[in-house]
């Protein structure tokens, strides 16, 4: 129905089992996105876990301070437990996470409203592209959090969203991942993508 979610998607990322933690994960993410993929630095935002009283957890200032080496403070945003604390289930390894978002809107739109107000607000061009999960706790059956003896990293980046950002598109479906299939569908169906929202959605579903 929208242009940036799929029924399935390809996940890129990296794991660490005690070899490195927040510092390296954040530094390498920034290097990959800005130096290797040349995404515009002034369009990137990072969210950090903003703390949670019910779990007696503080703001993730470690991640915030690390991001200050790359981003101005106004582009480092506190996130909720829902968005910035990852858990695999009711029990087990878990921890705070730091999402990287990109603002793909036009300069005119950005001048009217900063991207900081649209992060995690379901805007189709202000989107999360990478989530850096810092696994540092274990959730016990009684709900309490215990520090893990080793700290781990699990990151996940959406391949299709990354392609959209790199290729300067405003929709995952406008990238070279999907366009050849969509053009072939259009020829078979006698329809042209981009003419009707209803038809576009149908093509995206297929």
């Amino acid at each position: 129905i929208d242009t940036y979610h799929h029924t399935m998607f390809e996940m890129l990322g990296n794991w660490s089992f005690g070899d490195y933690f927040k510092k390296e994960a954040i530094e390498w993410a920034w290097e990959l996105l800005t130096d290797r993929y040349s995404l515009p630095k002034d369009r990137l935002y990072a969210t950090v876990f903003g703390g949670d009283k019910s779990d007696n957890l503080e703001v993730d200032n470690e991640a915030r301070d690390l991001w200050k080496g790359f981003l101005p403070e106004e582009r480092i945003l506190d996130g909720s437990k829902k968005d910035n604390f990852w858990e695999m289930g009711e029990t087990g390894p878990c921890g705070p996470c730091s999402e990287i978002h990109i603002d793909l809107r036009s300069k005119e739109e950005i001048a009217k409203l900063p991207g900081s107000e649209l992060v995690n607000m379901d805007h189709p061009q202000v989107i999360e592209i990478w989530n850096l999960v810092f696994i540092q706790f274990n959730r016990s059956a009684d709900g309490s959090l215990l520090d893990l003896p080793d700290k781990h990293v699990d990151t996940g980046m959406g391949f299709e969203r990354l392609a959209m950002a790199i290729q300067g598109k405003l929709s995952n479906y406008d990238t070279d991942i999907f366009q050849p299939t969509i053009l072939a569908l259009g020829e078979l169906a006698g329809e042209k993508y981009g003419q009707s929202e209803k038809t576009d959605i149908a093509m995206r579903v297929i």
Side-chain angles (χ1 to χ4, degrees):
I1 294 174
D2 66 32
T3 56
Y4 61 105
H5 287 103
H6 313 137
T7 52
M8 58 188 296
F9 70 101
E10 187 168 350
M11 181 80 84
L12 309 175
N14 53 304
W15 280 87
S16 164
F17 297 97
D19 296 317
Y20 60 86
F21 199 44
K22 296 179 186 180
K23 182 178 186 292
E24 293 84 354
I26 288 172
E27 287 177 352
W28 293 340
W30 184 259
E31 178 187 347
L32 184 63
L33 293 177
T34 62
D35 293 347
R36 307 304 174 95
Y37 293 153
S38 300
L39 294 182
K41 297 176 182 179
D42 61 349
R43 297 296 190 99
L44 293 173
Y45 291 81
T47 63
V48 298
F49 177 57
D52 184 75
K53 290 182 179 179
S54 65
D55 273 327
N56 198 29
L57 291 172
E58 301 291 328
V59 176
D60 189 356
N61 284 316
E62 182 183 2
R64 177 185 292 283
D65 288 342
L66 288 164
W67 277 117
K68 286 179 183 177
F70 305 104
L71 289 168
E73 289 195 49
E74 64 268 19
R75 285 196 274 125
I76 306 169
L77 311 173
D78 284 349
S80 65
K81 183 178 179 182
K82 172 181 170 288
D83 290 321
N84 283 85
F85 195 88
W86 179 88
E87 302 195 57
M88 63 183 294
E90 291 184 7
T91 61
C94 57
C97 55
S98 187
E99 300 172 336
I100 303 169
H101 297 250
I102 190 165
D103 188 345
L104 300 172
R105 297 174 300 151
S106 68
K107 290 181 180 178
E108 292 75 20
E109 289 178 278
I110 291 172
K112 293 176 186 175
L113 187 67
S116 57
E117 296 188 30
L118 296 173
V119 167
N120 278 328
M121 298 299 288
D122 296 324
H123 192 288
Q125 275 99 53
V126 184
I127 58 165
E128 175 195 346
I129 52 175
W130 205 350
N131 190 14
L132 316 178
V133 179
F134 309 125
I135 304 171
Q136 60 190 86
F137 303 113
N138 187 65
R139 176 81 72 181
S140 301
D142 64 5
S144 62
L145 292 173
L146 302 173
D147 285 323
L148 288 171
D150 290 316
K151 307 294 190 281
H152 309 299
V153 172
D154 169 17
T155 85
M157 176 163 54
F159 170 65
E160 298 85 356
R161 294 185 184 190
L162 176 65
M164 171 171 61
I166 291 174
Q167 295 176 24
K169 304 297 185 181
L170 299 179
S171 162
N172 288 2
Y173 296 94
D174 291 336
T175 65
D176 58 8
I177 301 167
F178 293 106
Q179 274 300 304
T181 306
I182 287 173
L183 290 172
L185 278 171
E187 290 179 9
L188 288 168
E191 299 283 354
K192 189 173 181 180
Y193 188 75
Q195 302 294 308
S196 156
E197 184 181 14
K198 185 177 180 182
T199 304
D200 288 354
I201 291 171
M203 285 180 158
R204 294 199 291 262
V205 168
I206 295 169

